[in-house]
């Protein structure tokens, strides 16, 4: 069985976020996919269930320990590979079908930078955090005083979203996965996505880190599935502003820098103040290697 190894949200090998992609996976059952994902040992592996001629690309995603409904960087990796092999045309507009739902995909040619994959991302409803900051922050190696009080801490699906004041606060975190799980898993929370508006580069609107021990990943290098909701959050809370007459605001999220695996996620939010119509993330990728998995 062939699996392609791809670095997403970068064009530099060994940085960004690595994903496995198996193109011909329609005949595999879930337990086989799970075993393959464990062998590949990337943060996520995507399995393509559709045929090349199908108008909708159907995917399933597995971490080394569990299936998840959606994964941003593995989606970027998959559509990059399909375009690279001539199975999808770039430019082009397509549909993604996965356990989280059906979403629009746009492929944008970038010349020597390959194809940028734009994904309209799922937007989990915002809820109140089920745990206090006093309980949460010590599990991350942080302090309550590092949290930005002008922005809310929220829950979105299986993750918490926590704003921090400064980039050095973000960089200093040292999470303890088992302790995080003991606090969060009883509430159905698998991870914590922390960000600061104190970004490093011009054009970036935030830098982030994502700790996901509930899915067997202490830290995910670059997370498209969280960057899309963050983009909408930043608009909703005034950190990014939509034009009064309506339109699109864009920026970039930095992630992976603390791990030495910097990746960059483009973001776009379309709508009017008080009414978001669409949030999407974009990124490029690089095929690193082809791997053969031998069935035992």
């Amino acid at each position: 069985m062939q699996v392609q190894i791809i670095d997403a949200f970068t064009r530099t090998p060994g940085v960004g976020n690595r994903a496995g992609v198996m193109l011909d996976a329609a005949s595999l059952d879930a337990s086989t996919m799970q075993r393959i994902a464990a062998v590949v040992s990337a943060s996520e592996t995507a399995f393509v269930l559709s045929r090349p001629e199908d108008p909708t690309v159907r995917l399933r995603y597995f971490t080394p320990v569990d299936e998840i409904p959606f994964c941003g960087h593995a989606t970027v990796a998959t559509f990059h590979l399909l375009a690279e092999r001539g199975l999808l045309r770039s430019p082009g507009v397509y549909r993604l079908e996965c356990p989280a739902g059906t979403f629009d995909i746009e492929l944008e040619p970038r010349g020597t930078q390959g194809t940028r994959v734009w994904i309209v991302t799922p937007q989990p409803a915002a809820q109140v955090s089920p745990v206090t900051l006093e309980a949460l922050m010590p599990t991350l190696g942080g302090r309550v005083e590092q949290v930005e009080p002008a922005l809310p801490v929220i829950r979105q699906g299986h993750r918490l979203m926590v704003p921090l004041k400064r980039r050095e606060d973000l960089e200093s975190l040292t999470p303890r996965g088992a302790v995080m799980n003991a606090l969060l898993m009883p509430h159905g929370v698998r991870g914590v996505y922390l960000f600061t508006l104190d970004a490093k580069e011009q054009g970036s609107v935030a830098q982030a880190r994502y700790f996901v021990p509930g899915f067997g990943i202490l830290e995910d290098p670059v997370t498209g599935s969280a960057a899309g909701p963050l983009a909408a959050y930043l608009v909703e809370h005034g950190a990014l502003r939509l034009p009064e007459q309506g339109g699109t605001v864009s920026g970039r999220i930095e992630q992976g820098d603390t791990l030495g695996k910097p990746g960059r996620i483009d973001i776009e939010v379309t709508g009017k103040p008080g009414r978001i119509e669409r949030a999407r993330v974009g990124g490029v990728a690089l095929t690193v290697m082809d791997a053969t998995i031998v069935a035992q």
Side-chain angles (χ1 to χ4, degrees), residues 28-241:
L28 303 181
D29 59 22
S31 63
T32 302
M33 293 182 198
Q34 186 64 76
R35 290 197 299 272
I36 292 170
V39 170
V40 172
S41 199
S43 55
E44 281 85 16
T45 297
F47 296 86
V48 182
L49 308 181
S50 49
R51 298 170 298 180
E53 64 270 21
D54 290 347
T56 297
V57 176
R58 292 186 296 120
L59 298 180
R60 291 177 74 174
Y61 311 93
F62 288 79
T63 77
V65 300
D66 206 354
E67 182 173 11
I68 59 173
F70 174 77
C71 174
H73 84 274
T75 301
V76 167
T78 301
F79 278 85
H80 151 83
L81 182 63
L82 291 170
E84 185 175 67
R85 296 205 168 180
L87 299 173
L88 295 178
R89 285 190 172 187
S90 177
V93 177
Y94 302 93
R95 298 283 277 173
L96 163 68
E97 184 180 292
C98 63
T102 303
F103 305 100
D104 292 331
I105 304 287
E106 180 183 352
L107 300 184
E108 175 192 357
R110 300 281 293 171
T112 59
Q113 293 297 303
T115 294
R116 178 158 56 184
V117 181
W118 287 101
I119 312 165
V120 177
T121 52
Q123 297 290 326
Q127 300 173 295
V128 175
S129 171
V131 299
T132 66
L133 288 173
E134 289 76 10
L136 175 65
M137 291 306 292
T139 73
L140 303 169
R143 307 183 313 278
V144 173
E145 294 77 20
Q146 295 172 314
V147 177
E148 172 54 68
L151 293 170
V153 175
I154 62 171
R155 174 180 181 166
Q156 288 189 320
H158 59 70
R159 77 173 67 93
L160 300 183
M161 184 176 288
V162 180
L164 299 183
K165 294 175 182 176
R166 302 173 301 173
R167 191 164 68 246
E168 52 260 46
D169 296 328
L170 187 69
E171 293 169 346
S172 71
L173 297 176
T174 53
R176 295 176 290 159
V179 181
M180 287 179 64
N181 281 343
L183 175 67
L184 299 174
M185 292 285 277
H187 302 283
V189 176
R190 300 291 192 99
V192 183
Y193 184 74
L194 302 104
F195 69 93
T196 176
L197 302 183
D198 181 20
K200 180 187 298 184
E201 299 169 356
Q202 186 175 5
S204 296
V205 297
Q207 187 171 125
R209 296 179 72 182
Y210 188 26
F211 308 122
V212 212
F215 282 123
I217 306 161
L218 183 58
E219 181 166 1
D220 192 44
V222 195
T223 315
S225 61
L230 175 59
Y233 171 106
L234 294 177
V235 169
E236 290 168 353
H237 298 287
L240 287 175
R241 296 188 180 277

